[in-house]
């Protein structure tokens, strides 16, 4: 178990965020009063992703009704509070920003009848009207297993529909909120794949180093593939504060390579696996690599930066 102030292995060291584009985007986000999960969740890759024109925006406020033991987002009860102007405000703001790919995520809102599904869907549709060339990924919760709400978000037409299973089956009850479950996550992922427009990518993510075994990771990967998940990301769990679940092990890069090779054999369209990989890390590049027939068209539309950095070292990125 990780001591409170244990040093991290060298492959987990990252540069502090900086650069002109990062600074500009941060100023614009503050000016427009937009919340980013990049900041709320203390993502180690915020500087790199922002500098490459990808960001993750959080809708419906910054207070989540659930309390998972790995997550740094504030837990509380918003008591039904919703800014009805947010879909228009966020869509207009994003349409004016120098972004090429945006991930729209949301806190869990169990205090709302539809879990916030219609709010997210309105935001996606409006941004597509204003910036049809911008790629949109939606990263959502399980909506309490209510499939009508899953349908609402899938029908909005995101390019990628994502929901994270987070941890292996055995750790669900101890790590995720009691209202989450392994089976429920698989159910909503399967429904999204069935409901979404043809060509829509479905995506999920697993954290490692939080108490699982390698065999349990492979089992979870197999279960995700069985419900039609196209893209999978695997990354090292890092403890946000001493109040959160401890790190049980630091998984070495070579083990992530093995996970990626297993995912390739299972038939995933794309697997991003590495210590610093997060669900939305280099999301634009992962999307393009999962849709090889579209790469030339998308690149000509300048969805990616003209000179992207090499993908995810020391991670493994495997394309089928």
């Amino acid at each position: 178990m990780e001591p409170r102030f244990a040093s991290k292995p060298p492959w987990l060291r990252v540069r502090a965020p900086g650069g002109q584009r990062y600074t500009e985007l941060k100023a614009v986000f503050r000016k427009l009063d937009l919340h980013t999960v990049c900041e709320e969740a203390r993502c180690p890759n915020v500087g790199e992703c922002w500098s490459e024109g990808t960001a993750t925006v959080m809708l419906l406020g910054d207070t989540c009704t659930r309390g998972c033991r790995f997550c740094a987002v504030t837990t509380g009860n918003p008591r039904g509070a919703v800014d009805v102007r947010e879909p228009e405000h966020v869509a207009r703001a994003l349409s004016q920003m120098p972004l090429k790919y945006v991930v729209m995520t949301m806190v869990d809102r169990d205090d709302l009848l539809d879990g916030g599904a219609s709010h997210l869907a309105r935001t996606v549709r409006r941004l597509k009207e204003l910036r049809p060339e911008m790629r949109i990924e939606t990263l959502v919760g399980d909506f309490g297993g209510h499939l009508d709400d899953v349908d609402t978000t899938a029908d909005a037409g995101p390019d990628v529909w994502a929901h994270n299973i987070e941890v292996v089956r055995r750790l669900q009850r101890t790590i995720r909120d009691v209202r989450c479950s392994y089976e429920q996550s698989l159910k909503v992922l399967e429904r999204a794949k069935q409901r979404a427009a043809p060509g829509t990518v479905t995506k999920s993510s697993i954290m490692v180093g939080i108490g699982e075994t390698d065999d349990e990771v492979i089992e979870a990967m197999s279960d995700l593939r069985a419900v039609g998940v196209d893209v999978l990301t695997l990354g090292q769990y890092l403890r946000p504060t001493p109040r959160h679940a401890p790190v049980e092990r630091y998984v070495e890069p070579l083990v992530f390579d093995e996970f990626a090779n297993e995912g390739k054999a299972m038939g995933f369209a794309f697997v991003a696996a590495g210590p610093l990989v997060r669900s939305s890390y280099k999301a634009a590049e992962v999307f393009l690599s999962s849709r090889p027939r579209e790469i030339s068209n998308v690149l000509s539309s300048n969805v990616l930066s003209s000179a992207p950095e090499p993908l995810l070292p020391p991670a493994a990125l495997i394309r089928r």
Side-chain angles (χ1 to χ4, degrees), residues 165 169 182 186 218-229 266 268:
I165 202 165
R169 184 190 298 269
Y182 191 83
L186 291 175
I218 300 301
E219 177 190 37
M221 292 170 62
S222 178
D223 290 341
L224 289 169
R225 187 68 197 118
V227 296
V229 172
M266 290 177 189
F268 284 99

Side-chain angles (χ1 to χ4, degrees), residues 18-81:
Q20 181 178 354
R21 195 168 199 182
Y22 167 82
T23 304
E24 291 173 351
L25 281 175
K26 184 170 184 177
V28 173
F29 281 131
R30 295 292 77 75
K31 180 180 178 181
L32 298 175
D33 193 28
L34 294 178
H35 298 283
T36 71
V37 75
C38 318
E39 297 168 290
E40 292 289 340
R42 305 176 190 180
C43 178
N45 307 308
V46 57
E48 186 175 3
C49 289
W50 285 16
S51 296
E52 294 181 1
T54 300
T56 302
V57 176
M58 190 154 60
L59 303 178
L60 290 163
D62 57 359
T63 301
C64 184
T65 53
R66 300 190 188 182
C68 298
R69 294 188 62 220
F70 62 85
C71 184
V73 175
T74 302
T75 299
N77 183 1
R79 301 183 182 278

Side-chain angles (χ1 to χ4, degrees), residues 30 51 53 60 130 132 148 193 201 207 211 214 236 269 283 286 309:
R30 295 292 77 75
S51 296
L60 290 163
L130 296 171
D148 287 348
K193 189 63 178 177
V201 173
M207 293 180 296
D214 290 352
Q236 170 72 50
V286 170
E309 295 180 10

Side-chain angles (χ1 to χ4, degrees), residues 53-185:
T54 300
T56 302
V57 176
M58 190 154 60
L59 303 178
L60 290 163
D62 57 359
T63 301
C64 184
T65 53
R66 300 190 188 182
C68 298
R69 294 188 62 220
F70 62 85
C71 184
V73 175
T74 302
T75 299
N77 183 1
R79 301 183 182 278
V82 173
D83 181 358
V84 297
R85 302 166 299 176
E86 186 178 52
E88 180 71 20
H89 167 69
V90 169
R92 285 188 176 275
L94 290 174
S95 71
Q96 299 169 26
M97 296 184 72
L99 296 173
K100 302 154 187 177
Y101 188 107
V102 64
V103 181
M104 290 186 189
T105 189
M106 53 184 285
V107 290
D108 281 297
R109 291 296 303 266
D110 300 294
D111 58 318
L112 302 177
L113 288 176
D114 70 348
S118 59
H119 189 92
L120 175 75
R122 286 195 298 273
T123 312
V124 172
R125 288 195 176 99
R126 184 57 176 145
L127 181 55
K128 280 187 168 290
E129 291 173 359
L130 296 171
R131 281 280 299 278
E133 79 282 3
M134 182 182 284
R135 299 293 186 179
I136 301 174
E137 176 177 325
T138 55
L139 174 58
V140 299
D142 59 19
F143 298 107
H146 298 295
L147 299 184
D148 287 348
D149 300 331
V150 175
D151 293 347
T152 297
T153 57
D155 290 348
D159 299 286
V160 179
W161 194 97
H163 168 71
N164 293 340
I165 202 165
E166 307 293 7
V167 292
V168 301
R169 184 190 298 269
R170 178 176 55 85
L171 297 177
Q172 295 282 319
R173 187 55 58 237
T174 56
I175 298 300
R176 299 178 78 190
D177 186 274
V178 68
R179 286 161 286 189
C180 306
S181 79
Y182 191 83
E183 292 74 18
Q184 190 161 276
S185 287

Side-chain angles (χ1 to χ4, degrees), residues 267-287:
F268 284 99
F270 201 90
V271 178
L276 290 173
V277 170
R278 296 294 178 266
S279 178
S280 303
Y281 183 35
K282 289 185 178 285
E285 296 184 28
V286 170
F287 170 74

